[in-house]
Amino acid sequence: AQTVTQSQPEMSVQEAETVTLSCTYDTSESNYYLFWYKQPPSRQMILVIRQEAYKQQNATENRFSVNFQKAAKSFSLKISDSQLGDTAMYFCAFTTHQGGSEKLVFGKGTKLTVNP
Amino acid sequence: DTGVSQNPRHKITKRGQNVTFRCDPISEHNRLYWYRQTLGQGPEFLTYFQNEAQLEKSRLLSDRFSAERPKGSFSTLEIQRTEQGDSAMYLCASSRPRGSGANVLTFGAGSRLTVL
């Protein structure tokens, strides 16, 4: 079965500091796509960053970067210079397109609070 | 680009009633997805359309659930004979055709269902 595990239900960080959210996944496929989505309180889910498994280089998007360890099936998200607007639920997700599937498998999420 | 629109945003119904949710995707997106999110969980895949064809259905989608996408534009998700366990946020998302930014889902704000 394809699963995503986010072991940190809640985290907090001080404004301007750095925080890392962890994610591990399980799949037997060799090629897949990994994502971090952000869901602010009472607002819609938006894409933070994505990584293609065949690419060695870790993806970065401004203050957001990932540490992709394919052998360990680990995909952590680092948020630098945290801002109050980063307060949200963060979901790790992946898709393999196995058998033509378009299903995105999500973890249970990590609730991040940025404190002033 | 007005984003993915979902209506109604909130629906309260009595057990046994039927409810219908509507999703209007981004106009140039030919792929449309429905997910369900319960409290404290990540979104769970329900079904996927490419244009008007429903190409994938989750086992979560019981016989009481039906989704349509006539003419490949908007989609409806109907739940018949609602049960209290159907209470959840129903999320719609859309994406571009494969090869041009596919895999990147744009989510709507969701339709929250409460079954009394």
Side-chain angles (χ1 to χ4, degrees):
Chain A
Q2 297 178 343
T3 58
V4 177
T5 302
Q6 293 181 249
S7 59
Q8 305 148 316
E10 293 192 39
M11 293 192 73
S12 63
V13 64
Q14 292 299 120
E15 197 175 5
E17 294 188 348
T18 295
V19 63
T20 298
L21 309 183
S22 65
C23 171
T24 58
Y25 57 92
D26 188 25
T27 179
S28 57
E29 297 292 307
S30 59
N31 194 27
Y32 43 88
Y33 301 83
L34 295 152
F35 307 86
W36 279 97
Y37 279 89
K38 167 185 176 181
Q39 190 175 40
S42 301
R43 295 183 62 186
Q44 65 206 76
M45 195 170 306
I46 57 174
L47 178 70
V48 175
I49 198 166
R50 68 171 171 161
Q51 174 85 38
E52 296 175 53
Y54 68 86
K55 290 187 177 179
Q56 300 281 354
Q57 188 172 6
N58 288 324
T60 62
E61 287 287 343
N62 301 314
R63 298 182 296 106
F64 299 89
S65 61
V66 298
N67 182 6
F68 174 45
Q69 302 289 327
K70 191 171 185 179
K73 295 182 181 176
S74 171
F75 184 61
S76 61
L77 174 70
K78 185 171 81 171
I79 306 174
S80 304
D81 186 26
S82 298
Q83 300 177 359
L84 297 178
D86 295 333
T87 292
M89 284 292 294
Y90 286 82
F91 293 97
C92 178
F94 80 106
T95 185
T96 67
H97 298 307
Q98 182 183 22
S101 174
E102 295 292 335
K103 178 173 68 175
L104 201 58
V105 179
F106 285 85
K108 291 187 177 182
T110 295
K111 182 180 180 181
L112 176 68
T113 302
V114 180
N115 299 308
Chain B
D1 182 353
T2 56
V4 177
S5 176
Q6 291 190 247
N7 290 288
R9 292 291 311 278
H10 303 276
K11 179 71 177 179
I12 300 174
T13 190
K14 293 182 179 179
R15 188 179 53 171
Q17 298 294 306
N18 299 344
V19 296
T20 299
F21 300 115
R22 174 177 170 131
C23 172
D24 288 89
I26 293 172
S27 57
E28 62 266 29
H29 288 185
N30 72 332
R31 299 169 160 216
L32 186 145
Y33 312 76
W34 285 98
Y35 283 79
R36 180 175 70 186
Q37 186 177 21
T38 54
L39 201 63
Q41 302 293 320
E44 296 173 294
F45 173 80
L46 292 178
T47 191
Y48 154 68
F49 291 85
Q50 183 167 302
N51 300 313
E52 67 275 8
Q54 188 175 21
L55 297 183
E56 190 174 359
K57 291 171 62 174
S58 164
R59 279 174 283 185
L60 291 174
L61 215 63
S62 75
D63 291 344
R64 296 184 298 105
F65 287 70
S66 63
E68 296 182 342
R69 193 183 181 196
K71 302 178 184 177
S73 55
F74 71 92
S75 175
T76 58
L77 177 68
E78 181 183 17
I79 308 174
Q80 296 182 327
R81 305 181 303 281
T82 53
E83 302 173 355
Q84 288 182 326
D86 297 331
S87 295
M89 178 75 84
Y90 290 85
L91 299 172
C92 178
S94 66
S95 70
R96 295 177 181 277
R98 181 172 287 192
S100 58
N103 297 316
V104 178
L105 272 57
T106 301
F107 282 86
S111 292
R112 181 170 295 284
L113 173 65
T114 301
V115 181
L116 302 177

